[in-house]
Amino acid sequence: MTVAIVLLALLGSAWLLAVIEGWMATGRLSPAAPLFRGLAHLGRESIVPRSPDRVFFEAAPVLLLVVAVLGMAVLPLAPDLIIADLGTGALFVNAALAYVLVAVIMAGWGPDGAYGMIGGWRFLGQLIAYSMLIVMPITAVAMRAESLVNTAIVGSQAGLWNIVYQPLGFVLFYIAAMALAFRAPFDLPSAEGELGGGVDAEYTGVRLAVLRLARLTLVVTLASATTVFYLGGWHGPLLPPWAWSLIKTLAVAVSMLLVGHYLPRIREADLMRWCWVLGIPLALLNIIIVGLLILVVP
Amino acid sequence: MSFLELYSLLLALVVGIVATILGLYGFVRVMGSARGEPGKDVPASSGVLSRDPVWGRYHARYYGYALLFLAFDMEMAFMYPWAVVYKEVGLVALYDMGVFLAILFLGLLYGWSQGALRRQ
Amino acid sequence: MTSDHPINTTGSRQRQTRFAALQKWVSRAFARDLSCLIVPGQDVALAHGLNVSATGMRVGASPRDANVLLIVGGLSEKMGEVAAVLYAQMPRPRTIIVLGGTTPSSLPGADVSAGLSQEALADAVGRLKRALAEGAFATSAEDFDASVLHVKIEYVCPMHPEVVEDEPGSCPKCGMDLVAREAGESAPDHDHEHHHDEHQHDHEHQHHGHEHEHEHEHCHDHEDQSHHDHKHHSEHEHSGHDHSGHEHGGHDHGGHDHGASGFMSMIEVTKDLPRSADGLQMDWLEVPFGPVFPGLPGGLKLTLTLDGDGVTEGQATSLVGVTSEGENIEESEEMDAETFIGYLSAAIPLAPVSYRLLVCLAIEQAAGLEDDSANAGARTGALERERIASHLGWLAQLGRQLGFAWLTQRAATLQLQVREANRDSLAALEPALHKLTIRLGRTPLLKSRLKGVGLLPTDSFGLRGPVARAADEGGDAWARLWQRLAEISASLDLIKSGGEPELPVLRDVGDVSGTGEATVDTPRGEARLSLKLERGHVKSYELDTACSQHIGLVPKLVEGQELGDALLAVGSLDLSPWEVTS
């Protein structure tokens, strides 16, 4: 039962994001457009490129969708609305999202096309940049909650949300989450203007539908993770807990889309340099500050 | 729920999703598979038909960062359990991990000074 | 009414009755979700005043993502072939809309033909939607075939490149076996077979190794077979270097010997390759960023040799260039003044008004007419208006290259408004243009992205227009951006003080003879035209444009740059491939 509700919430949020994405691109709000688009993708031909790495080519969209759903499965919508409340929930989110790299590299390498391959390898560089910035803030969050259980992490924010307690961690995690979902301004692997579509380019038909769905659900999962780790999960007055979770998740996801709309793409060399020279020292500083705060403030 | 039950639930979720997707593929196949025409299966490269394979030794220019990443990744593996027991152990935990982080940070500074942190 | 040709559809309808309802819904979905690929490019569509997204179509980035091939204007022979290749790579159901020209001969008939205007486009899209909703599926369908999709296989002798036969055999001079040059349709199949064998081979070995190793092995065996073909190619290349125009690319390997097929480490595979800047030997790829690439001017074929994601060398050619001179044109082909104006401004869709003005001035000078002070204000107004529109179009393409969605949308909207605005509307648009400049100045990551990109070598010559004017302040993409923005403001001021912009019209010259020369500062630089009139007909002409000079800057500009920086550098030159004279 919980499984059905969570999956439905995930699909619904992905649909809403698609509608908003379409609104930003065309200026028209059309709720039925993503559904028609998905159906049209199903109806089109699914072309397989010549001499692909068949395993990689087929596995990439499927793996991306599985990863996004697995990540969502361990994040709570409400105290009792979580598919699997693992003892190492926060770590599992990170572990599942690590496979996004595998999926993107497979999508790039599989079709044996130049644009995609370059996109895939660029994403590896992006991972090296953002990976620490995802893990270190999660550690700081776990320090405050004294546990890796996601529901306990939300519980620890009952009095004060983590965004106020550790704002530095929030900023770093937010930026790294956008880089993980390879959305603008970090959309190097699927850049339109640089790589003619990149890793997305060689997929058509039903595989493209699965890939697009996977990318949208990945954004929702990351927004949900941001909500759980930093925005106090389901805490909030008046409305039921699941409503607050959904509102916060959608707010974060839409903000990610907006940021991407108004910023140019960042160069990979710049991204890596700023993450390593600026980001990691800041993340370490964040851990130390949080450590001191925990000991000092009762 | 016990540990085993939770993980089997997740596994069942994964299997269910994969099965759904495969079912979707099958359904689409029934509607008609892609027609093989000349030139259609060549990867799109902006109007020029280039059939040459591109798999090869790719020059990844971020190997300097990658080496440092390995060190920090191992550090993070240690930090997860440390974070959970941190408050319990108290100030000593901060000192212990602080020393570890400082050593790694010095490594980062050294790498930076040697030019590892740039596009090669 | 609608097209005469059936829409190219998704194969046969096997279970007609069972899934009829589903096909109805899917056809409606096709009609609702239109995505177009614009040939030659989005810049040309904007220059003609077409607002594609207002009709409900998305603009796609690659043929895989598109289901409408939107052809704007007439296409030359080469661009027709490019369109055929793109069409072949689109998934079915796929459709063609041709605006303002005839369908290229290499494509099947257009599904919808219309004139070159926004209303015609909207009407065409409406017709297309109805056609798709009614019949996207058909019981039978034909393959799309074009000669450009098949590459002829020739057999050459490795030692004597001049020996070329159509059949395999042996060389008459030395007796060596002829080897196939240029992989045609059979060669990839040949590769396929080997791949399948190697795949089986790999899977057996792979059970013990880790994924990394598996990838390696997989690569090696693949490399093996492709080296087999490429070895002969490279030997031929080194001796002859006459590619005669086929898309060869691939690996430039020296002739290394790979003994028995089997495990080859990557180091052996790349043993004799040139070293990159950091001393490593890697595989270099020749990748086309060809005629129809999002962000680059349509019709510009850029071929970059990539080492990882850095460029080692680059080359740019134009597939749509205008002929630079006509000498002693035959009587039958002679154009009279009006026809010549129409010809030149149609051949250069990105700056028609400037070239119209250029021809008018040259002909009037040839006819001996005095400088026209009465119409000068109107002509200047039209020229400046086109300058603003052209720079806005360039900004839209820059936004596409940068992945900066807001800029693309805003610049495109403004360009469409400016294109045919009269003086009052332009004055009303001035605050919007000013705000655009301010927003660009305040965009956080833009400066770091553009500064230092596309630095011109200090010894470059032949620079004109904004590229030349920005060369003093550093000559990089950032400086050029601000130069063009400044020119937009300057043009607005000129229009305010001048007259109402009006399309340049040739004054009555009659049947005169004479020679004339004129220079006009087009949006991309100075263009010079000298022509000779004979009895009112153009006997010979010579055209010198800015872009012909600028295109020669491309190789130096992209060498050693990262891929994104290289593409930005080429984009910042604002090359108009139509003005690159051949």
Side-chain angles (χ1 to χ4, degrees), chain C residues 205-255:
Chain C
H205 285 287
Q206 189 246 7
H207 285 305
H208 320 291
H210 2 264
E211 209 170 63
H212 180 65
E213 237 171 83
H214 165 68
E215 264 183 46
H216 252 8
E217 286 184 351
H218 182 86
C219 301
H220 298 162
D221 292 319
H222 176 96
E223 283 292 28
D224 230 270
Q225 301 315 318
S226 61
H227 284 176
H228 210 67
D229 289 337
H230 285 285
K231 174 183 174 194
H232 304 290
H233 292 174
S234 62
E235 282 179 15
H236 177 79
E237 271 172 42
H238 283 300
S239 50
H241 277 293
D242 65 333
H243 288 207
S244 40
H246 21 252
E247 309 327 321
H248 199 48
H251 311 277
D252 301 301
H253 291 172

Side-chain angles (χ1 to χ4, degrees), chain A residues 116-180:
Chain A
M117 186 180 81
I118 297 175
W121 289 125
R122 277 182 154 184
F123 189 68
L124 178 54
Q126 211 170 297
L127 171 115
I128 293 178
Y130 72 68
S131 187
M132 288 295 109
L133 296 185
I134 293 244
V135 172
M136 289 189 187
I138 294 183
T139 310
V141 164
M143 279 162 77
R144 185 184 183 204
E146 290 182 74
S147 133
L148 289 174
V149 178
N150 282 328
T151 39
I153 289 179
V154 177
S156 75
Q157 299 178 60
L160 185 68
W161 291 0
N162 270 337
I163 186 174
V164 182
Y165 197 90
Q166 17 188 316
L168 192 53
F170 170 74
V171 170
L172 293 172
F173 187 80
Y174 185 78
I175 294 176
M178 279 201 288
L180 202 164

